[in-house]
Amino acid sequence: MAPAPLLLAGGRGWQRLLGPQAELLVLGPRGSLRGLLGSQVAQKGLQVLGSQRRIGGSLVAQKGPKVLLPQRGLLGSQVAQRELQTLGPQRELPLQGLSRGFAEVARPRSSREVREAEDSAPVFQYVGERSKRKDRVFVWGFCNAGALGIPSFVKPDAGWKKRRRIQPTPYRLDTAEKISSAACGYGFTLISSKTTDITKVWGMGLNKDSQLGFQRSRKDQTKGYEYVLEPSPIPLPLDAPQETRILQVSCGRAHSLILTDKEGVFSMGNNSYGQCGRKVTEGEMYSESHLIHRLREFDGRVVQIVCGQDHSLFRTERGEVYSCGWGADGQTGLGHYNITSAPTKLGGDVAGVNIVQVATYGDSCLAVSDEGDLFGWGNSEYMQLASITETTQVNVPRHLPFEIGKVKDAACGGTGSAVVNEEGHVFVWGYGILGKGPNLMETATPEMIPPTLFGSTDFSPDTRVSRVRCGLGQFAALNDRGELFVWGKNIRGCLGIGRMEDQYFPWRVTIPGEVVDVACGVDHMVTLVKSFI
Amino acid sequence: MAAGRAARTGLNGLFAVYKPPGVASIRVRDSVETLLLKELNSLEQPAVQQQVRFLPNTVEGNAGKELTLTVTQLPVLAAHPLVRGPELTHLKIGAGHRLDTKSSGVFVLGVGHGNKLLTDMYNAHFTRAYTVRGLFGKATDDFSDTGRLIEKTTFDHVTRDKLERILAVIQGTNHKALLMYSNIDLKTQEAYELAVERLIRPMEKTPPLITAIRCLQFAPPEFQLEIQCMHETQQYLRKVVHEIGLELKSTAVCTQVRRTRDGCFTLDNALLRTHWNLQNIRNSIRDSKVKVKVELQRSLGHQARRGKRHTDTDQVAESE
């Protein structure tokens, strides 16, 4: 017997199996084979298919119609029977009204026949042996500003589509390149790729302060877009645009920072508090501005950038931290409460300490040292630093002596903060919905969230949280199996759980893929995901 | 008589048998009933009732034949077992959660007063554990390997790692569904505490939910999964295997569904075909009595605390 031929089928392979009679089975790579055990009609149709249809290139045995209908016709009429007798084995078109097409009469098949038919059936290949997992981007949250990057949510492009104010569950964003870093600001998003092509970073959303650079309007070439609905490339003034790679992007309230591997840090957007790292100009118009500033005042290479609401933090490879921007809450950590327009090195308890991570999003900041110690400064109105001081603003970095083990990852939100220690346990403190039910609304010392809420079950008791991120009022945690858990205030659907209510304890977000990274904004979120197969 | 009654006092409660594949579960219940009846009827050997009859007789007397009456003892035919039939013709044996014909495993039966416990077990919404074997490479119309072939696909790209990723997603989405169907207001502290303890379980009829799933063996094309679920049917488990095949961009059929645990009855408690006799069943009922009571009280008490239903475990306990 000839070996079963191999057919290469694309993503629509299921439909190719059945050809035009696709509607008999509910299809798609994710659809189960419904309709088979259901109606009689469907079953009869399938029998037709099994023996007769020529499936593009397949070698399914083509038997001509031997007997169309039994002599005692299905219809009682004499006319029909006479017509039947003339048909015989010729391949004529079926009669009107009597047709079973080219179908054979179904008869019981012996097990040998069945086995032979099965062995000679074609084998389909949907995915090659060495297929790579695909990288995807999923977005959800508030759509009106265009921050999700899907234009049909704001301006529907088909008659049946309606404007969507909120996308409550993860929605796939199609990108041209593999996205390696994403950041959510207040109503806008930046995504970047590690490519050496000219276009490396795209922005979408609010652009009233040119936080996405200058986006030339197509209707009027002298003006720029105020809202960018689609991921649009941001032209960076690079010296070597085809060699430099972008490592990271970060977004604040109205400004953004881009970190490259060879050319330092670029900043754009609002500079009224010096957060872009350049001198504040009185009366400067930030909208439709072409200015993208390159920051050079660092001792050493910058390896991490974070944007707070109106300030920026930079971390160099030597473990030093620089800051610039608004300081009224002490978030610049430079010992005063004034504006800083040039990045200045921080002192206080972080002087001389090798800092491996800084985090901020609102007005308070956290830094993690290589030994797992935690340092904080900035706003403490919501008890983020109340464990060491009574004052509500701390303008010098102070060590936080918490007994929570070695800290591996820290995140600072608007009113609460979260850290992960090296055992994968999550600790939260501050004010707001912290993740331990509605009874815990504020605490000055970290409280651990039980690991059973992060996906550890009887069968897999040692799943641990690997990363934690904060938006303004929500938290997101990633465990080592690529599952995303969110909790906090559900501002305009930013949690992505499908409901509009606040979530008081960690809740899993259903995403068709393994989550690699997540970026939280005020009212939207972006995740970088790897497909399963 | 006495022997029979004594035999039947131990026959009130729940026990588990191992249902072999290829046999309908109703047949299993019927065979157990028949075997028990046969044994019980053979135990009872009532002494056949005798009656004293004065039978006329002819006796050679002085003046020819005389009619006299002789005393004889005869068995009362109306009370003879061959006339009346066996003592017991019917035993109340109820079936717990049934297994379909192709699957096998632990099958809980209740006898006598234990049938009330069957209702309680149903209302307690226990989870059940299955081992499911699957085969990559083909898809059939009824999701098992005996069905009609729909499609054959390659599966050389499938690794254990990919399979476990898919299983993790299935577990995650089912866990979410578990919390959603539990009808608890998620904004309360009680919901948080129950979620932490993982005590949340829907206490009413819901679509099938998988509480845990993991891969026990992986040797392509075969693989074996352990699934813990509630409100399921065996055909649903076969469908899950089929959908796992689809998610892996291949196809899979289910070759074996075997229940390893039903509530608190495990494979160790299940009686094999050769052990279906009175003594073993009575021992099994006795051994599992305490376990069943504890589990039922825990579940139903939990429900009563949540104000869901009025529990009648006390009445059942008295009858045992």
Side-chain angles (χ1 to χ4, degrees):
Chain A
M1 197 173 306
L6 192 70
L7 286 189
L8 292 174
R12 309 296 281 166
W14 281 102
Q15 282 190 335
R16 221 170 281 173
L17 168 66
L18 301 170
Q21 291 203 327
E23 66 274 6
L24 286 175
L25 287 185
V26 177
L27 291 171
R30 295 183 197 288
S32 55
L33 298 175
R34 287 192 289 264
L36 288 160
L37 311 173
S39 64
Q40 288 292 321
V41 171
Q43 285 195 317
K44 267 193 230 143
L46 279 171
Q47 281 173 346
V48 170
L49 279 169
S51 53
Q52 298 313 327
R53 296 203 75 80
R54 180 172 276 280
I55 302 164
S58 83
L59 299 182
V60 170
Q62 180 102 27
K63 298 189 185 119
K66 290 193 192 100
V67 178
L68 270 185
L69 290 164
Q71 294 297 9
R72 249 172 227 289
L74 294 169
L75 319 172
S77 71
Q78 293 291 328
V79 173
Q81 286 198 322
R82 254 182 274 130
E83 282 177 343
L84 275 177
Q85 278 148 15
T86 58
L87 258 180
Q90 302 126 22
R91 292 182 75 219
E92 284 177 8
L93 281 175
L95 299 166
Q96 300 282 350
L98 278 185
S99 60
R100 274 181 58 125
F102 290 105
E104 273 193 348
V105 176
R107 53 186 162 75
R109 301 159 89 186
S110 70
S111 55
R112 189 176 64 85
E113 262 183 40
V114 166
R115 212 172 350 120
E116 281 177 2
E118 282 194 12
D119 286 339
S120 63
V123 179
F124 288 82
Q125 182 180 46
Y126 292 101
V127 135
E129 228 183 298
R130 269 166 285 182
S131 68
K132 288 218 198 93
R133 295 168 72 180
K134 295 173 201 54
D135 301 288
R136 307 218 150 103
V137 178
F138 283 85
V139 295
W140 61 87
F142 186 60
C143 318
N144 280 0
L148 299 188
I150 297 155
S152 61
F153 285 168
V154 182
K155 276 195 157 32
D157 49 6
W160 56 268
K161 287 192 192 172
K162 285 216 200 53
R163 277 189 58 161
R164 221 181 281 207
R165 180 176 162 258
I166 288 178
Q167 173 55 36
T169 46
Y171 192 95
R172 181 150 153 229
L173 176 69
D174 234 337
T175 52
E177 299 263 355
K178 174 190 175 221
I179 301 298
S180 60
S181 169
C184 294
Y186 289 38
F188 66 104
T189 319
L190 278 184
I191 50 179
S192 76
S193 158
K194 276 204 177 116
T195 172
T196 48
D197 293 350
I198 307 237
T199 318
K200 304 169 204 286
V201 64
W202 298 262
M204 53 252 203
L206 203 57
N207 197 24
K208 289 195 168 167
D209 287 290
S210 301
Q211 53 264 60
L212 306 174
F214 182 71
Q215 302 288 336
R216 199 177 292 277
S217 162
R218 267 182 291 198
K219 278 192 266 194
D220 182 355
Q221 300 280 331
T222 54
K223 295 215 178 359
Y225 282 125
E226 274 191 341
Y227 291 92
V228 178
L229 299 182
E230 231 184 358
S232 307
I234 297 175
L236 292 175
L238 294 167
D239 289 336
Q242 285 175 321
E243 287 166 17
T244 321
R245 288 180 203 266
I246 296 197
L247 299 177
Q248 199 203 333
V249 285
S250 186
C251 302
R253 181 186 61 86
H255 72 295
S256 26
L257 296 175
I258 299 175
L259 175 66
T260 60
D261 58 349
K262 289 196 217 147
E263 300 194 31
V265 185
F266 291 84
S267 68
M268 45 202 194
N270 190 305
N271 193 40
S272 6
Y273 305 106
Q275 60 265 47
C276 286
R278 55 190 169 88
K279 216 157 109 51
V280 182
T281 317
E282 282 283 335
E284 180 178 351
M285 288 298 296
Y286 297 111
S287 82
E288 297 174 7
S289 155
H290 292 253
L291 182 55
I292 298 184
H293 179 69
R294 184 169 158 186
L295 293 146
R296 294 170 201 270
E297 299 93 340
F298 302 108
D299 277 341
R301 199 164 59 92
V302 177
V303 288
Q304 191 197 355
I305 46 171
V306 268
C307 292
Q309 196 160 352
D310 283 305
H311 70 289
S312 314
L313 296 176
F314 312 85
R315 176 175 69 89
T316 60
E317 59 184 344
R318 277 193 240 159
E320 297 166 349
V321 184
Y322 291 73
S323 72
C324 63
W326 202 41
D329 275 330
Q331 58 262 57
T332 45
L334 296 168
H336 57 79
Y337 293 109
N338 308 326
I339 289 176
T340 314
S341 53
T344 320
K345 201 189 313 202
L346 263 68
D349 287 356
V350 299
V353 178
N354 186 9
I355 300 290
V356 294
Q357 200 205 355
V358 280
T360 179
Y361 196 68
D363 287 327
S364 69
C365 314
L366 283 178
V368 180
S369 75
D370 55 351
E371 307 199 341
D373 293 322
L374 204 55
F375 300 85
W377 65 97
N379 192 359
S380 180
E381 283 167 19
Y382 301 101
M383 303 173 61
Q384 295 102 317
L385 306 172
S387 54
I388 45 163
T389 173
E390 290 278 319
T391 55
T392 48
Q393 276 88 14
V394 177
N395 60 5
V396 169
R398 299 277 306 274
H399 173 61
L400 296 169
F402 294 143
E403 303 281 326
I404 49 181
K406 270 183 75 164
V407 173
K408 234 179 49 172
D409 197 33
C412 213
T415 58
S417 316
V419 296
V420 183
N421 72 0
E422 58 177 357
E423 283 162 38
H425 295 150
V426 177
F427 293 83
V428 286
W429 74 98
Y431 173 82
I433 300 178
L434 296 176
K436 292 192 69 161
N439 287 2
L440 185 73
M441 290 304 273
E442 60 176 10
T443 167
T445 43
E447 301 258 345
M448 186 172 96
I449 299 186
T452 51
L453 290 173
F454 290 112
S456 86
T457 64
D458 295 325
F459 284 166
S460 52
D462 52 353
T463 42
R464 43 187 61 188
V465 175
S466 55
R467 234 183 267 209
V468 68
R469 297 264 183 272
C470 278
L472 208 57
Q474 74 270 38
F475 298 80
L478 278 185
N479 76 2
D480 53 1
R481 299 211 302 191
E483 296 165 346
L484 177 66
F485 295 85
V486 294
W487 66 99
K489 265 201 101 43
N490 200 357
I491 305 172
R492 299 185 278 275
C494 63
L495 291 182
I497 51 180
R499 287 176 279 130
M500 290 297 132
E501 301 137 7
D502 301 335
Q503 182 58 33
Y504 288 90
F505 58 91
W507 190 259
R508 188 186 312 253
V509 179
T510 315
I511 296 189
E514 197 180 302
V515 181
V516 170
D517 200 5
V518 61
C520 302
V522 172
D523 52 13
H524 71 293
M525 275 205 217
V526 171
T527 48
L528 306 179
V529 165
K530 258 187 149 54
S531 69
F532 289 127
I533 301 289
Chain B
M1 215 48 136
R5 205 157 281 160
R8 264 180 291 153
T9 47
L11 271 189
N12 283 307
L14 296 177
F15 64 101
V17 298
Y18 188 89
K19 181 188 106 59
V23 156
S25 32
I26 308 187
R27 284 258 210 150
V28 168
R29 188 213 74 87
D30 289 340
S31 352
V32 169
E33 186 180 343
T34 316
L35 286 167
L36 277 180
L37 280 175
K38 230 195 303 194
E39 266 200 69
L40 284 172
N41 286 326
S42 67
L43 277 182
E44 305 209 355
Q45 304 286 354
V48 178
Q49 253 182 14
Q50 305 280 350
Q51 57 179 339
V52 175
R53 292 293 300 275
F54 295 94
L55 293 175
N57 224 349
T58 51
V59 160
E60 284 286 336
N62 300 336
K65 293 216 169 84
E66 266 187 27
L67 206 59
T68 50
L69 291 172
T70 24
V71 178
T72 45
Q73 213 180 28
L74 289 173
V76 175
L77 280 180
H80 198 273
L82 285 176
V83 170
R84 292 178 67 114
E87 272 289 324
L88 285 176
T89 50
H90 172 66
L91 263 184
K92 266 194 172 164
I93 298 194
H97 196 254
R98 288 208 282 254
L99 283 164
D100 66 4
T101 312
K102 274 191 286 221
S103 43
S104 58
V106 175
F107 180 32
V108 174
L109 296 172
V111 67
H113 294 302
N115 289 317
K116 296 190 204 126
L117 290 177
L118 281 179
T119 330
D120 285 327
M121 265 190 78
Y122 180 79
N123 293 331
H125 302 280
F126 287 133
T127 56
R128 286 171 271 269
Y130 290 79
T131 49
V132 171
R133 276 188 189 274
L135 200 69
F136 285 120
K138 55 180 206 169
T140 54
D141 60 348
D142 65 351
F143 311 139
S144 77
D145 55 344
T146 50
R148 191 170 55 84
L149 179 75
I150 300 284
E151 192 184 66
K152 287 198 331 197
T153 55
T154 60
F155 51 87
D156 42 11
H157 63 276
V158 177
T159 59
R160 185 167 189 152
D161 181 42
K162 288 181 189 165
L163 179 65
E164 299 207 330
R165 242 179 268 148
I166 302 288
L167 295 182
V169 167
I170 292 178
Q171 196 167 285
T173 44
N174 274 282
H175 184 66
K176 240 175 91 162
L178 203 71
L179 295 177
M180 303 281 306
Y181 279 117
S182 299
N183 265 341
I184 275 192
D185 185 8
L186 291 167
K187 292 204 257 197
T188 56
Q189 186 69 15
E190 186 203 348
Y192 163 71
E193 276 157 16
L194 286 174
V196 171
E197 301 284 322
R198 287 208 293 262
L199 279 182
I200 284 192
R201 214 170 72 211
M203 282 297 174
E204 55 203 10
K205 198 83 182 78
T206 63
L209 289 171
I210 294 181
T211 52
I213 183 169
R214 70 170 164 172
C215 176
L216 292 176
Q217 285 173 23
F218 182 77
E222 291 175 355
F223 62 99
Q224 189 181 33
L225 306 173
E226 181 181 344
I227 306 183
Q228 295 193 2
C229 41
M230 50 191 304
H231 305 153
E232 81 295 344
T233 53
Q234 286 76 43
Q235 189 60 18
Y236 177 77
L237 296 177
R238 293 193 191 97
K239 187 170 160 203
V240 165
V241 168
H242 167 85
E243 289 185 345
I244 288 174
L246 291 182
E247 284 286 328
L248 288 166
K249 301 247 177 82
S250 174
T251 44
V253 289
C254 176
T255 47
Q256 183 199 62
V257 174
R258 187 174 180 241
R259 188 191 283 160
T260 51
R261 180 180 66 82
D262 184 346
C264 50
F265 290 95
T266 59
L267 276 182
D268 302 328
N269 309 122
L271 295 171
L272 292 177
R273 179 77 180 76
T274 46
H275 298 156
W276 291 354
N277 52 43
L278 186 63
Q279 187 58 33
N280 285 336
I281 290 178
R282 246 195 302 166
N283 292 342
S284 170
I285 293 176
R286 197 188 54 223
D287 293 336
S288 55
K289 204 181 276 208
V290 177
K291 238 185 346 178
V292 167
K293 191 149 92 160
V294 164
E295 284 290 334
L296 282 177
Q297 271 182 349
R298 205 193 298 169
S299 294
L300 295 174
H302 181 63
Q303 276 181 329
R305 260 202 312 273
R306 283 169 58 186
K308 285 274 180 341
R309 51 180 5 95
H310 159 69
T311 106
D312 48 5
T313 34
D314 310 307
Q315 289 173 351
V316 175
E318 277 169 19
S319 66
E320 284 185 345

